[in-house]
Structure formats: structure tokens, C-alpha cells
Amino acid sequence: AQSVAQPEDQVNVAEGNPLTVKCTYSVSGNPYLFWYVQYPNRGLQFLLKYITGDNLVKGSYGFEAEFNKSQTSFHLKKPSALVSDSALYFCAVRDAGGSYIPTFGRGTSLIVHP
Amino acid sequence: EPEVTQTPSHQVTQMGQEVILRCVPISNHLYFYWYRQILGQKVEFLVSFYNNEISEKSEIFDDQFSVERPDGSNFTLKIRSTKLEDSAMYFCASSEAGERPYEQYFGPGTRLTVT
């Protein structure tokens, strides 16, 4: 079975400060990990993914995520937050050797204050 | 940039009625999916579709649900007899392939309200 946890319902950060949105996962085999963002009244938009290789993955809009196998985490980060980054962020995981359907987390609401 | 589209954006229906939610996936994509998101809860997988048949479905996708690709562009989700608990946001998604870890592209969703 595969699962993903986003321990924070909401993250608040001031514009210009670094941000982190946390994600931990559980899979039987090797993980494929994804981050998506959802703006109001829009569908989920793909940000980045980890498949293999370098643990630091860079994605859209200046976001990056670090894969940590020992901590089974895939936290989303950005060095300097923008007000326009305010949105709902979803982490998702797939077992590389299992179903190709990802399991999504509950989502974390990121609020960036001016 | 190509995108997934969904219609309608909001559907209100009475309990027991049939609804059809429509999606137009990205044209060169081969896998299609339906997800739902009950307000405040996680995004839940319903069904995936490839080569004109269901390839995987969740326990949520019972006999009340069906999917169809009636032509070369549309992908539909039908709920035969809606229940109050079917009220949710329904997202369609598509991807280039399934086994490789291609990201999924999501539509804007249809908000279904069952009264």
C-alpha cells in the first residue's frame, strides 16, 4: 500500500522569506513523488517530480523539493516566497513497482503575507 | 499550452438523478483519469481508462459510476443515480502514459452539488 501525509493544513510565511511545505510518504518499493499546486477554481497543476537520481529536484515557478529516503520525506521549498504563491499544494506518491495511480495527500494551504 | 477542459463548471442535481460530467483530455495523451475531492478532504482516485477500457478503479467507483470515450476527444463520467454523498469536485486528468511516471494534467474540475 502507498500513502502520503501532509502534516500541516496551513503554512503562513511572509513575502520574501523561505517557505517549506512538508510531505512524508510510505511505499513498499521505490517511490515516485510529485508536487502539484491548485489555485482557486483551477485544477491541479504539476510542479515537479522525483523519479531517480539527484535528491534535489527543481520545478516550476522557482520551487524545488528534496527527496530524503531515510526520513521518507519530500518537502517542497522555495528560497523566497511571493504573494502569488498562495495556493493549495498537494504531494503525491506512486510505488515504482506497483500501481501507476498516485495517492494524493490532503493538501496544504500556503498563505504568503505581503 | 494544451490543457484539459471540463464541462460544466458547476452542476446542481437532485438526488436520484443521472449526471454526466464531460472532459476533453490533451489530444496526444493516452491515459485518462477521474478523481474527486469532497470539500476539505483529499483528492481521491476513481478510475483510469486506457485503450477504450477501464484499466484500474477504486472501491469508490461502484456500479453507479461509468466512464466512456464516445468519440476521439471526449471522456465522460456518468453517475446513474446520484446520492447526497456524491457532492464533490470532480477532476479529469490525462497523461502521456501510465507505467512510466508521467505527470498527470488536470482539468479545472466540475463542482457537483446533489440536493
Side-chain angles (χ1 to χ4, degrees), chain A residues 4 32 34 36 38 41-46 49 51 88 90 94 96 99-107, chain B residues 3 31 33 35 37 40-43 45 48 55-56 91 98-109:
Chain A
V4 63
Y32 293 151
F34 305 83
Y36 289 83
Q38 184 181 28
N41 302 315
R42 301 286 300 275
L44 282 70
Q45 295 179 36
F46 170 76
K49 66 183 177 185
I51 306 302
L88 198 53
F90 291 91
R94 252 187 66 187
S99 166
Y100 57 81
I101 305 300
T103 298
F104 286 83
R106 294 173 60 91
Chain B
E3 56 183 21
Y31 280 80
Y33 314 83
Y35 291 84
Q37 184 182 27
Q41 299 187 25
K42 62 172 64 178
V43 175
F45 167 73
S48 62
S55 47
E56 203 162 334
F91 292 105
E99 291 186 9
R100 293 187 63 187
Y102 289 110
E103 58 272 21
Q104 296 173 336
Y105 290 80
F106 284 78

Side-chain angles (χ1 to χ4, degrees), chain A residues 1-2 13-14 22 26 47-48 50 56 62 72-73 84 89 94 105:
Chain A
Q2 57 194 35
V13 64
K22 295 179 180 177
S26 174
L47 275 180
L48 50 80
Y50 170 82
L56 186 64
T72 61
S73 67
S84 57
Y89 290 81
R94 252 187 66 187

Side-chain angles (χ1 to χ4, degrees), chain B:
Chain B
E1 185 176 332
E3 56 183 21
V4 177
T5 59
Q6 291 185 243
T7 54
S9 56
H10 191 189
Q11 173 90 44
V12 181
T13 189
Q14 289 189 327
M15 195 167 52
Q17 296 296 304
E18 174 183 285
V19 294
I20 297 176
L21 310 182
R22 291 181 168 80
C23 167
V24 178
I26 294 173
S27 60
N28 65 335
H29 285 183
L30 301 178
Y31 280 80
F32 315 115
Y33 314 83
W34 282 102
Y35 291 84
R36 79 173 185 190
Q37 184 182 27
I38 295 171
L39 186 63
Q41 299 187 25
K42 62 172 64 178
V43 175
E44 300 174 295
F45 167 73
L46 293 178
V47 65
S48 62
F49 192 85
Y50 170 71
N51 200 26
N52 285 320
E53 61 182 24
I54 291 173
S55 47
E56 203 162 334
K57 62 181 181 179
S58 71
E59 57 274 12
I60 302 169
F61 193 87
D62 60 21
D63 291 344
Q64 293 298 313
F65 292 89
S66 63
V67 289
E68 192 177 35
R69 188 156 162 81
D71 52 45
S73 59
N74 290 285
F75 179 51
T76 63
L77 174 69
K78 181 192 291 186
I79 308 175
R80 291 190 182 81
S81 178
T82 50
K83 303 187 277 284
L84 293 176
E85 54 265 36
D86 293 328
S87 295
M89 193 73 141
Y90 287 81
F91 292 105
C92 173
S94 68
S95 67
E96 291 185 48
E99 291 186 9
R100 293 187 63 187
Y102 289 110
E103 58 272 21
Q104 296 173 336
Y105 290 80
F106 284 78
T110 293
R111 181 169 298 284
L112 177 64
T113 302
V114 182
T115 61

Side-chain angles (χ1 to χ4, degrees), chain A residues 31-86:
Chain A
Y32 293 151
L33 294 152
F34 305 83
W35 275 102
Y36 289 83
V37 59
Q38 184 181 28
Y39 297 101
N41 302 315
R42 301 286 300 275
L44 282 70
Q45 295 179 36
F46 170 76
L47 275 180
L48 50 80
K49 66 183 177 185
Y50 170 82
I51 306 302
T52 187
D54 195 351
N55 288 345
L56 186 64
V57 179
K58 294 188 183 298
S60 307
Y61 313 122
F63 283 93
E64 56 190 29
E66 186 168 10
F67 170 63
N68 187 318
K69 188 172 183 178
S70 62
Q71 296 185 3
T72 61
S73 67
F74 190 57
H75 301 330
L76 181 71
K77 300 181 181 184
K78 187 173 182 181
S80 178
L82 300 172
V83 172
S84 57
D85 292 330
S86 299

